Amino acid sequence: MNEYLNSCSKKKMSRAVQVLSAIFISIFPLQSEASEPRNVELEWTGKFVGLSFAYNFDDGTTTTDLTTTNPKSDFKSSAGPVIGAHAGYNYQIHRMVFGIIGEINYDRTAKDYHPYWAASPKYIITPSTLWSANVRSTAGFLITPDIHAYGTVGLASSQRKIGDNEVSTGAISQSRVHYGLLLGAGFQYRLRKNLTTFAEFRHYWYESLDYTLKEVRSSPANNEIRLGVSYHY
């Protein structure tokens, strides 16, 4: 009789332990069952498109009177907003991320100025930027799974316009496309699985080109701060 009672008691205890274990696991699941680890290897690989806003500081040099024995140069700074659109592709290898990006911008950087050497205050030269575009590569590493630090280098082009507002001849202008290089660095942060935001600093070097208008030579060089968002798919 005692053996029977002991057997029943052991079965009840065993069932109670099983029930309590099931309740415990349901409330406090094991780490491996609670959530699957993130596949960081794939999160930054893929295509993306986006928009950006920049502020451009144009520190180029404009040289005039090229045909004379005493050409004159003015170093003039101007600044203006830039709106851009981009598309690209990233490829991730462990914590390293490499990419290729194409970008086009609508640029309104311009400044009228009166050359210090001009005898008449009516003589005004207006160097301005109409649009710019670039193709560049990026290379960086993941500080965390959601923060990407990178550098960028590429080829750039910019359509520049030189305007002459001298009253005696009437307002006329001439535009040419300058080609050059860009170098920059930035940080990118993942807001959601398919959405990132970024901040960049870039410097542009462009070739010097001569304009027949008033024998002007334009040598653009820009510094730029840019903020933007990208959608990854």
Side-chain angles (χ1 to χ4, degrees):
M1 186 67 177
N2 290 334
E3 292 179 359
Y4 175 76
L5 293 175
N6 290 335
S7 176
C8 292
S9 177
K10 289 180 180 179
K11 289 180 180 180
K12 290 180 179 179
M13 291 181 62
S14 177
R15 289 178 182 176
V17 170
Q18 292 176 0
V19 171
L20 291 174
S21 298
I23 294 174
F24 182 84
I25 292 174
S26 65
I27 298 175
F28 304 102
L30 297 178
Q31 184 64 30
S32 59
E33 296 177 359
S35 60
E36 296 180 358
R38 290 174 60 181
N39 191 354
V40 180
E41 291 289 332
L42 300 178
E43 285 192 351
W44 292 88
T45 296
K47 296 176 286 185
F48 59 90
V49 295
L51 299 173
S52 61
F53 174 82
Y55 206 74
N56 188 14
F57 301 89
D58 188 343
D59 294 326
T61 301
T62 301
T63 305
T64 56
D65 280 4
L66 298 178
T67 58
T68 67
T69 58
N70 185 28
K72 306 171 184 65
S73 295
D74 275 356
F75 183 82
K76 293 295 181 180
S77 297
S78 58
V82 180
I83 299 174
H86 61 270
Y89 183 83
N90 281 336
Y91 185 74
Q92 182 178 349
I93 304 175
H94 301 298
R95 295 181 67 89
M96 302 296 295
V97 180
F98 304 92
I100 183 75
I101 303 174
E103 182 180 84
I104 187 167
N105 300 289
Y106 177 72
D107 196 330
R108 292 287 80 189
T109 303
K111 183 177 183 179
D112 295 344
Y113 69 90
H114 171 242
Y116 69 91
W117 49 264
S120 170
K122 298 178 182 179
Y123 185 81
I124 299 174
I125 294 178
T126 308
S128 61
T129 304
L130 302 177
W131 61 264
S132 61
N134 64 74
V135 177
R136 54 196 175 89
S137 61
T138 62
F141 64 93
L142 297 177
I143 300 176
T144 72
D146 294 320
I147 300 178
H148 174 212
Y150 60 92
T152 183
V153 61
L155 302 176
S157 62
S158 176
Q159 184 181 18
R160 311 275 293 189
K161 182 177 73 172
I162 297 294
D164 177 9
N165 295 330
E166 189 173 15
V167 175
S168 60
T169 60
I172 56 177
S173 63
Q174 179 188 1
S175 63
R176 298 194 66 181
V177 177
H178 296 249
Y179 295 94
L181 301 174
L182 72 86
L183 181 66
F187 290 91
Q188 193 171 18
Y189 177 71
R190 181 176 295 280
L191 298 172
R192 296 184 178 180
K193 182 179 180 180
N194 295 326
L195 187 65
T196 60
T197 183
F198 65 87
E200 287 182 0
F201 173 81
R202 302 181 194 169
H203 182 75
Y204 297 80
W205 297 268
Y206 290 105
E207 62 181 336
S208 298
L209 291 178
D210 294 346
Y211 290 71
T212 57
L213 175 66
K214 291 295 182 181
E215 297 86 33
V216 172
R217 175 176 297 158
S218 179
S219 306
N222 303 344
N223 291 310
E224 181 182 272
I225 298 174
R226 184 175 293 262
L227 302 175
V229 293
S230 297
Y231 176 77
H232 299 252
Y233 61 99

